[in-house]
Amino acid sequence: MKKFIAEFKEFAMKGNVMDMAVGVIIGGAFKAIIDALVDCIISPIIGCFIRGGMEGWTVTIGEAQLGLGAFIMAIVNFLIIALVLFCVIKAMNKLISLRKKPEEAAPLTKKCPLCQSEIDIKAIKCPHCTGDIQ
């Protein structure tokens, strides 16, 4: 049992697991912000154009009532969160690509000073003009 607990502790304290936990917590807080944006700003704006707002949109089938307005607002929430996350991830990828500078590979060829042909970097005689290379 001690070995199991030790393995679990090692797993839980790895950087990736902790990063994921922080991401989930920040994601929950971000969702609250998006919910407030949709509920307090977007829904009232839509309500100006649609009589009664979207929350009141329901469809009755028999005795069941389907809340289409609430479903549509949940889709709007999702689309806003997806758009913001896409923009954040795209910006982070751009920053990461700017930080990484590819190393230049050593040249494999050089030009013959006599005929200007591309020759192997180790060549001491040009195979095209048979000239000596220093």
Side-chain angles (χ1 to χ4, degrees), residues 59-65:
V59 173
T60 304
I61 301 175
E63 293 182 15
Q65 252 191 350

Side-chain angles (χ1 to χ4, degrees), residues 109-120 123-133:
T109 61
K110 61 182 176 182
K111 286 195 174 196
C112 172
L114 302 172
C115 69
Q116 300 299 314
S117 298
E118 289 280 325
I119 58 173
D120 189 69
I124 55 173
K125 199 170 217 32
C126 178
H128 303 286
C129 67
T130 67
D132 289 328
I133 311 291

Side-chain angles (χ1 to χ4, degrees), residues 74-93:
I75 291 173
V76 170
N77 278 356
F78 170 77
L79 292 175
I80 292 171
I81 291 172
L83 176 68
V84 170
L85 288 176
F86 171 76
C87 293
V88 167
I89 290 171
K90 187 171 180 168
M92 287 179 61
N93 287 340

